[in-house]
Amino acid sequence: MAEQDSGQERNEAPSGKRLQDAREKGQVPRSQELSTVVVLVASAVAMLFVGGNLISSLGEVMTQSFSLNRKLIMDPHMMAQQLILALKIMAWDVGSFLAITLIAALSAPALIGGWNFSTQAIGVKLEKMSLFAALSGCSGPKVWLN
């Protein structure tokens, strides 16, 4: 009966076995908007705490990069040394901001359905890979004859 009424809302909650089967297939509730909001709020809070240091580090890197010294300009290895120095100055501030954002992005999906890893969800579905069905959607090149 449930198979016949697939287009209508169901009156009863799914059984525990159906929920478990759906979870094994990787079908868990997700909210893309919630994940987006959590990442945006976490990055805004991170910017409040790290932003001042990030701006001062960026100013220091720009000051060192744009000050010209003839002796340093003629050194062929100076560009690599300047890049390494800039990365050392910026690494802690940028890294801490990115780490906070990464933690928020990884933990946000766990707020609703928890973490779920299913090999069935990433498996290849050969029945959906029909060349004929893909080609029937496009009309191909049109040749106009006069």
Side-chain angles (χ1 to χ4, degrees):
M1 178 98 184
E3 290 81 14
Q4 296 171 354
D5 298 332
S6 61
Q8 299 175 358
E9 292 186 27
R10 297 192 170 102
N11 295 333
E12 297 181 18
S15 66
K17 180 170 179 356
R18 283 198 179 218
L19 289 174
Q20 183 63 28
D21 289 344
R23 191 163 180 80
E24 288 174 3
K25 290 179 184 176
Q27 299 171 347
V28 293
R30 294 276 180 240
S31 171
Q32 190 173 8
E33 290 82 13
L34 178 67
S35 298
T36 303
V37 167
V38 168
V39 169
L40 284 174
V41 168
S43 59
V45 169
M47 193 54 77
L48 283 173
F49 290 112
V50 181
N53 292 337
L54 190 62
I55 295 297
S56 65
S57 297
L58 183 63
E60 183 179 343
V61 167
M62 291 177 83
T63 301
Q64 289 180 0
S65 297
F66 296 141
S67 40
L68 299 175
N69 183 351
R70 182 168 172 78
K71 180 182 172 189
L72 297 177
I73 292 174
M74 297 302 174
D75 185 9
H77 303 289
M78 194 59 207
M79 183 183 295
Q81 291 174 356
Q82 279 297 112
L83 178 64
I84 291 171
L85 180 64
L87 289 176
K88 284 181 183 178
I89 293 171
M90 297 289 293
W92 177 255
D93 297 324
V94 172
S96 59
F97 174 75
L98 291 177
I100 292 170
T101 307
L102 177 69
I103 290 169
L106 292 176
S107 63
L111 292 175
I112 290 182
W115 284 328
N116 184 27
F117 181 75
S118 173
T119 56
Q120 291 180 359
I122 60 173
V124 177
K125 296 174 180 69
L126 295 176
E127 65 271 3
K128 292 188 176 185
M129 296 178 64
S130 171
L131 182 61
F132 181 72
L135 291 177
S136 66
C138 67
S139 59
K142 295 186 179 181
V143 179
W144 298 98
L145 300 173
N146 291 333

